[in-house]
Amino acid sequence: MTEETILAIDNGTQSLRAIIFDLAGNLIAKSQVPLLEAYFSDQADWSEQHPHFFWDSLCRACNNLWQDPKVDRKAIKAVAVTTMRNTVINLDEQGEPLRPAIIWTDKRKLKDIKPIQGLWKYAFKLARVEDTIHNFQASCQAAWIAHHQPQIWQKTHKYLLLSGYLNFKLTGEFKDSLASQVGYIPFDYKRHQWAQDGDWKWQVAPMDKDLLPDLVKPGEPIGQVHAAASVATGIPKNIPVIAAGADKSSEVLGSGCIQDHQACLSYGTTATINVTSSKYIEPIKFVPPYPSNVADAYTIEYQIYRGYWMVSWFKEQFGQMERDLSQKMGIAAEQLFDEAITLIPPGSEGLMLQPYWSPGVKIPDPEARGAIIGFSDLHTRAHVYRAILEGIAYGLRDGMESIEKRTKQPMQELIVSGGGSQSPVAMQLTADIFNMPAIRPHTYETSALGAAINAAVGIGAFKNYAEAVKAMCRHGETFEPLTANVALYEELYQQGYKKMYRQLKPIYQRFRQLLG
């Protein structure tokens, strides 16, 4: 008898992966299509990509997957899709894109902003969150398109996130998981539904609900793979497509973090720390928890927007030698950087980095910039690289402490996933800075595994998520904190990192006044 399997589609920022898992969480086969031209920029700060590029990449990944002799297509019982967040697509009545997708890394801002009307404006002023609301207005892609491209907006029949688009291409249904709704859209993060009539978000996003997809709970069916999608992808026709969630929330589920004492740290392009909660708890006032891949739950998130993007930035700006050498050796440049910093002691010999290369939604404030302090004549590029890893870990520890304060629940377990978790140095300094064992999941592909868990629950393979996680998730390598390192990092964190932003903020504010 052939063992039942799940096909997970994971459309990230840098690649699209089609992965087969069995019901024990084992990765059976994987096909990865690099998104070498992940976006193009017609203007500075723009990040766009043609929607068909993502669909074509999905088709390529699936068709490559069938070449693996370990794959039995007849054993696939369900499909689930997880994608990067806050990437929007306008479709016409025929389901064809009207313009390129706006990617989450896009930094365009709407300048012609109308004041919020009604009692909302007084409530926001009283709560002192006017800057947060202004950022939502300026960043809302729908508002920008409606203002600058009104003809396209008038022709828009459906306005979808990338997840909704791929689900539509697979099933022909304008449906999406409610756990994928993370972006500048009129979504009610407390009730897990589209915002009610009269909500201030409808003043920002100029649309009717008819433009948005029907929402489906994670673990419930979106539709079935239709004939045209089956021909294009090779996925057998009529296989159910089950709702999963966005990449970060899928990563949390795939890491097995479904209890409120478990922290899931993600060392991805955006670095985050997430905690699953049955309660609606805002990690920062007026910044909502996002919907969890566990139905009717929330994922409380603290993020460093430019997280392990900083590693790529360092590699591009200062790592030409390592990039050239890595190509000759057939290894990743990051592996060479890791080897170089093994001789750098904890604390980077007095070099400390504050990882605010871009400001956050509310924390840090809009004027925030990055900073490196403590240079001396003994410091090298390797010191800077280690300081980047330490700075990101400091920032996420700060986030975990903020979540613990809000939830009144101390974290007892730290699971570390994402690209940065592949670095032994990063894992060890994480254990030392957090003073907790840093645990890798058994698979690197945690986002895809999270989507597969949703599908497994959806087809009835497990009664609930606790049962599914017990069967499909387990711990990998564990890095224990080293006592001497813990003591040093505690002093550096409390006496250095925790004071940096407060001390530098007036300078950042003045820079903003002078430079815009």
Side-chain angles (χ1 to χ4, degrees), residues 234-393:
I235 303 171
K237 183 182 173 183
N238 294 331
I239 284 182
V241 177
I242 306 296
D247 53 0
K248 290 294 183 184
S249 56
S250 294
E251 195 171 344
V252 176
L253 178 57
S255 298
C257 295
I258 61 173
Q259 304 295 327
D260 61 5
H261 65 271
Q262 297 173 303
C264 178
L265 193 157
S266 171
Y267 279 147
T269 305
T270 292
T272 61
I273 189 157
N274 296 74
V275 176
T276 301
S277 174
S278 60
K279 299 176 183 177
Y280 179 90
I281 299 173
E282 296 176 345
I284 305 164
K285 194 172 183 180
F286 271 83
V287 175
Y290 298 133
S292 168
N293 276 43
V294 177
D296 302 317
Y298 305 91
T299 177
I300 304 170
E301 178 176 300
Y302 186 101
Q303 68 171 233
I304 296 174
Y305 184 72
R306 294 294 191 184
Y308 266 64
W309 169 90
M310 293 184 65
V311 169
S312 300
W313 167 81
F314 181 87
K315 181 175 67 175
E316 291 298 319
Q317 300 299 323
F318 308 107
Q320 185 66 53
M321 182 174 67
E322 286 80 7
R323 284 156 51 200
D324 292 344
L325 184 58
S326 66
Q327 287 185 343
K328 293 178 182 177
M329 297 176 66
I331 60 175
E334 288 81 359
Q335 187 174 333
L336 295 176
F337 287 126
D338 252 26
E339 292 174 2
I341 65 175
T342 54
L343 300 178
I344 306 296
S348 302
E349 297 188 285
L351 204 61
M352 181 171 285
L353 179 140
Q354 176 191 273
Y356 296 159
W357 261 232
S358 289
V361 175
K362 189 176 179 185
I363 293 179
D365 290 327
E367 80 287 332
R369 290 171 176 260
I372 309 176
I373 62 172
F375 274 108
S376 73
D377 57 4
L378 61 81
H379 286 124
T380 65
R381 288 183 309 132
H383 287 83
V384 176
Y385 188 82
R386 184 178 180 104
I388 289 173
L389 304 188
E390 291 174 337
I392 295 170

Side-chain angles (χ1 to χ4, degrees), residues 100-174:
I102 299 179
I103 310 300
W104 71 273
T105 51
D106 190 283
K107 293 191 288 186
R108 78 186 74 190
K109 298 291 182 181
L110 178 66
K111 296 180 180 178
D112 185 18
I113 295 175
K114 298 177 182 177
I116 298 292
Q117 300 299 309
L119 295 175
W120 291 105
K121 64 179 179 181
Y122 301 109
F124 295 148
K125 186 173 183 178
L126 189 65
R128 298 181 179 179
V129 293
E130 292 169 297
D131 285 345
T132 303
I133 303 304
H134 186 274
N135 179 68
F136 188 102
Q137 292 177 281
S139 302
C140 179
Q141 303 98 326
W144 188 95
I145 296 168
H147 181 80
H148 291 281
Q149 300 174 336
Q151 292 181 328
I152 287 176
W153 191 249
Q154 289 170 8
K155 294 177 183 177
T156 298
H157 176 65
K158 288 294 177 183
Y159 184 72
L160 307 175
L161 296 179
L162 176 58
S163 51
Y165 175 70
L166 295 182
N167 282 323
F168 163 69
K169 294 293 288 183
L170 286 169
T171 66
E173 303 277 356
F174 288 118

Side-chain angles (χ1 to χ4, degrees), residues 56 145 177 206 209 442 491:
D56 291 345
I145 296 168
S177 173
K209 282 183 186 175
H442 77 277
E491 283 294 312

Side-chain angles (χ1 to χ4, degrees), residues 433-464:
I433 287 173
F434 281 77
N435 192 18
M436 296 174 67
I439 306 166
R440 282 176 177 155
H442 77 277
T443 177
Y444 167 69
E445 299 291 352
T446 47
S447 291
L449 179 58
I453 291 171
N454 282 124
V457 171
I459 62 173
F462 303 101
K463 295 177 184 177
N464 52 49

Side-chain angles (χ1 to χ4, degrees), residues 4-259:
E4 294 183 343
T5 59
I6 303 292
L7 171 60
I9 306 295
D10 183 359
N11 192 157
T13 304
Q14 299 177 359
S15 70
L16 188 146
R17 298 178 292 284
I19 302 177
I20 301 285
F21 290 99
D22 66 18
L23 296 181
N26 297 310
L27 193 156
I28 304 301
K30 168 182 167 180
S31 171
Q32 183 167 345
V33 174
L35 304 180
L36 298 177
E37 297 179 5
Y39 62 85
F40 55 84
S41 301
D42 287 343
Q43 294 191 35
D45 291 336
W46 286 21
S47 299
E48 298 185 326
Q49 184 52 267
H50 297 294
H52 287 305
F53 173 77
F54 298 115
W55 174 244
D56 291 345
S57 298
L58 187 156
C59 294
R60 282 178 56 203
C62 288
N63 284 300
N64 290 342
L65 191 64
W66 314 137
Q67 308 308 311
D68 191 319
K70 297 189 294 297
V71 175
D72 178 2
R73 275 186 269 187
K74 294 179 181 178
I76 299 173
K77 299 304 176 185
V79 181
V81 174
T82 180
T83 71
M84 54 187 166
R85 308 185 294 195
N86 194 30
T87 295
V88 300
I89 296 172
N90 299 65
L91 299 182
D92 63 17
E93 291 186 354
Q94 286 71 48
E96 291 298 321
L98 287 163
R99 68 176 315 285
I102 299 179
I103 310 300
W104 71 273
T105 51
D106 190 283
K107 293 191 288 186
R108 78 186 74 190
K109 298 291 182 181
L110 178 66
K111 296 180 180 178
D112 185 18
I113 295 175
K114 298 177 182 177
I116 298 292
Q117 300 299 309
L119 295 175
W120 291 105
K121 64 179 179 181
Y122 301 109
F124 295 148
K125 186 173 183 178
L126 189 65
R128 298 181 179 179
V129 293
E130 292 169 297
D131 285 345
T132 303
I133 303 304
H134 186 274
N135 179 68
F136 188 102
Q137 292 177 281
S139 302
C140 179
Q141 303 98 326
W144 188 95
I145 296 168
H147 181 80
H148 291 281
Q149 300 174 336
Q151 292 181 328
I152 287 176
W153 191 249
Q154 289 170 8
K155 294 177 183 177
T156 298
H157 176 65
K158 288 294 177 183
Y159 184 72
L160 307 175
L161 296 179
L162 176 58
S163 51
Y165 175 70
L166 295 182
N167 282 323
F168 163 69
K169 294 293 288 183
L170 286 169
T171 66
E173 303 277 356
F174 288 118
K175 296 181 180 180
D176 197 13
S177 173
L178 64 84
S180 295
Q181 307 312 305
V182 179
Y184 300 102
I185 50 178
F187 183 72
D188 185 332
Y189 287 96
K190 188 171 186 178
R191 297 178 179 85
H192 290 172
Q193 61 187 28
W194 295 124
Q196 295 178 336
D197 295 341
D199 191 289
W200 66 272
K201 296 186 186 77
W202 295 109
Q203 295 186 41
V204 179
M207 66 177 78
D208 296 324
K209 282 183 186 175
D210 291 344
L211 263 66
L212 298 166
D214 293 336
L215 296 178
V216 179
K217 283 187 177 184
E220 294 187 358
I222 284 176
Q224 296 179 327
V225 175
H226 63 60
S230 178
V231 171
T233 63
I235 303 171
K237 183 182 173 183
N238 294 331
I239 284 182
V241 177
I242 306 296
D247 53 0
K248 290 294 183 184
S249 56
S250 294
E251 195 171 344
V252 176
L253 178 57
S255 298
C257 295
I258 61 173
Q259 304 295 327

